[in-house]
């Protein structure tokens, strides 16, 4: 009979293997999701469409993603992450195959619907694996790492996919992504298990839908929703739709330079994500400050490129990408708010709702930018002035979500105080820390 330490070591190893399998599925999903970010100009040529119709490819995809978050969360509570990761991987692979073979707008839009529906099942399921297989102390950090490492899929779309697209054309590039989707399916089927052997599912799983009302009533759920929106929407607008055209047509970068900017987004997340995750784990009562500070950086980044009327130096564009990229890791704090404000049996629906925030706002801005571009320049040859006018729309959801965070933070803290958890004023906490250091 093996010793307890050996069994514990085996259990920890299995946890990392399961998480790695779910993470691989998420990497593939992000590659699917972000592929249109570098294919927009090629799609405009292939389908002969204007900016408004072009934006619909991503708008429809992300609208399906956002609309599916709560139903997916309920299904996750009911069926578990393995079933959803497998179903989502299959659905996205089929959608990408549809993109490979499409020659008309309607077929391609239908393929984007499938990609959005499959994508909706992936991230929240991968995060559920973290909660099921690891101790609470590691959950914030590993949730951040899940989001960060998953963004390597954006490098897949920004570098090898973009190379295949520009060198060999539409079918080989999208066909390669469809084949990569098959790898995700295999990883989900063979590597993912819902929970460690000998543990049971959270109570109330069969009635998961019944828990939606209390989930919606929890102020912490909405704090998660607004936090995810505040940090995440602008990087979605930039990385999934308008960043590449803005950098090439508006700022005069080469396609290679623009692709490197999309890859820089991922590198920033890799560096900043663990720091934000560790801060969240060490200071759970101060998580909202991380959200607010990063939101200020995101606003500063947009001001760097939207206020000046001339193309910016390359170094300024790098600073812009770095600042708005910090919003990605910060948005994941929203899922932690949702998780700590709801019991385990409602975790899927709570985190699904929070995860919708950045995508709902992103969809609205993407569509709005397309409408503004077409209104200003129906010919399709967009200038920096056109992009500045369109992308100025990012100010609206930024302001709305900032107000949402401030309001729901106050209400969440009132709920916590009623349970005996009081968040001291920042000045009081800082004074106490200085006294403790003095001994």
């Amino acid at each position: 009979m093996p010793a307890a330490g050996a069994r514990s070591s085996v259990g920890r190893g299995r946890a990392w293997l399961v998480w790695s399998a779910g993470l691989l599925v998420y990497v593939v999903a992000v590659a699917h999701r972000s592929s249109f970010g570098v294919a927009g100009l090629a799609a405009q040529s292939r389908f002969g469409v204007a900016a408004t119709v072009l934006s619909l490819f991503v708008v429809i995809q992300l609208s399906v993603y956002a609309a599916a978050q709560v139903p997916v969360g309920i299904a996750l509570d009911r069926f578990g992450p393995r079933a959803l990761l497998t179903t989502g991987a299959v659905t996205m692979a089929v959608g990408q195959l549809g993109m490979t073979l499409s020659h008309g707008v309607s077929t391609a839009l239908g393929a984007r619907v499938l990609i959005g529906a499959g994508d909706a099942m992936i991230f929240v399921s991968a995060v559920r694996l973290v909660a099921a297989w690891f101790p609470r102390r590691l959950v914030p950090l590993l949730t951040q790492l899940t989001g960060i490492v998953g963004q390597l899929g954006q490098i897949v779309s920004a570098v090898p996919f973009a190379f295949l697209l520009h060198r060999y054309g539409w079918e080989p590039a999208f066909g390669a992504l469809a084949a990569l989707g098959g790898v995700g399916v295999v990883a989900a089927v063979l590597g993912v298990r819902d929970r460690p052997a000998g543990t049971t599912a959270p109570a109330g799983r069969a009635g998961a839908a019944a828990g939606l009302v209390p989930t919606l009533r929890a102020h912490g759920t909405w704090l998660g929703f607004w936090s995810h929106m505040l940090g995440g929407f602008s990087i979605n607008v930039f990385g999934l739709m308008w960043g590449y055209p803005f950098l090439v047509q508006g700022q005069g970068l080469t396609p290679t330079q623009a692709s490197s900017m999309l890859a820089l987004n991922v590198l920033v997340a890799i560096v900043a994500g663990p720091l934000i995750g560790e801060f969240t784990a060490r200071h759970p009562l101060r998580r909202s400050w991380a959200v607010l500070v990063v939101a200020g950086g995101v606003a500063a980044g947009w001001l760097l490129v939207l206020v000046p009327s001339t193309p910016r130096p390359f170094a300024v564009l790098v600073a812009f990408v770095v600042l708005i990229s910090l919003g990605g890791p910060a948005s994941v704090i929203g899922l932690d708010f949702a998780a700590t404000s709801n019991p385990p049996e409602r975790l899927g629906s709570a985190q699904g709702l929070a995860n919708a925030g950045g995508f709902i706002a992103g969809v609205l801005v993407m569509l709005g930018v397309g409408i503004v571009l077409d209104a200003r320049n129906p010919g399709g040859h967009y200038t920096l002035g056109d992009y500045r006018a369109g992308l100025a729309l990012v100010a609206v959801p930024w302001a709305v979500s900032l107000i949402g965070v401030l309001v729901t933070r106050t209400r969440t803290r009132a709920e916590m105080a009623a349970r005996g958890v009081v968040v001291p004023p920042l000045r009081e906490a800082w004074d106490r820390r200085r006294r403790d250091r003095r001994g």
Side-chain angles (χ1 to χ4, degrees), residues 64-162:
V64 172
Y65 179 101
Q69 284 303 299
V70 172
V72 161
I74 294 172
L76 178 59
D77 291 332
R78 176 68 180 87
F79 299 108
R82 185 176 185 234
L84 267 70
L85 284 167
T86 303
T87 304
V90 170
T91 304
M92 294 191 83
V94 172
Q96 211 63 272
L97 182 60
M99 285 297 295
T100 304
L101 303 176
S102 63
H103 291 277
V105 171
S106 59
T107 304
L109 290 176
R112 300 315 290 185
V113 168
L114 291 176
I115 292 172
D119 190 14
M121 306 178 198
I122 305 300
F123 182 59
V124 290
S125 299
V127 169
R128 172 61 70 87
L129 292 176
V130 173
W133 283 87
F134 294 93
R136 171 62 200 168
R137 173 63 181 81
L138 290 177
V139 168
L141 179 59
L142 289 179
T143 299
Q144 282 286 349
L145 288 176
T146 302
I148 292 163
V149 179
Q151 297 312 306
L152 292 174
Q154 189 167 333
I155 293 183
V156 172
S157 63
V159 182
F161 171 75

Side-chain angles (χ1 to χ4, degrees), residues 307-379:
V307 172
S309 59
T310 56
R312 298 295 82 203
F314 190 78
V316 174
L317 295 177
V318 168
F320 157 65
V321 173
V322 168
L323 288 170
I324 68 170
S325 297
L326 293 173
S331 71
V332 180
I333 298 175
L335 276 70
D336 201 51
F337 280 130
T340 55
S341 302
N342 291 274
E345 63 270 20
R346 302 205 309 260
L347 193 59
S349 57
Q351 290 190 318
L353 178 59
N355 193 46
F359 292 96
I360 291 173
V363 162
L364 295 175
V365 174
M366 287 179 202
L367 183 58
V369 171
I371 292 172
V372 171
L373 290 177
D374 278 345
R376 288 176 58 93
N377 197 333

Side-chain angles (χ1 to χ4, degrees), residues 264-307:
L264 176 61
N265 159 46
V266 180
L267 297 178
V268 171
I270 289 173
V271 174
L275 300 177
I276 292 175
E278 185 63 18
F279 175 86
T280 302
R282 287 175 177 260
H283 307 285
L285 299 182
R286 303 295 174 188
R287 291 172 290 179
S288 60
W289 279 106
V291 173
L292 295 172
V293 169
V294 170
V298 169
W302 282 112
L303 290 173
L304 285 175
V305 297
L306 295 183
V307 172

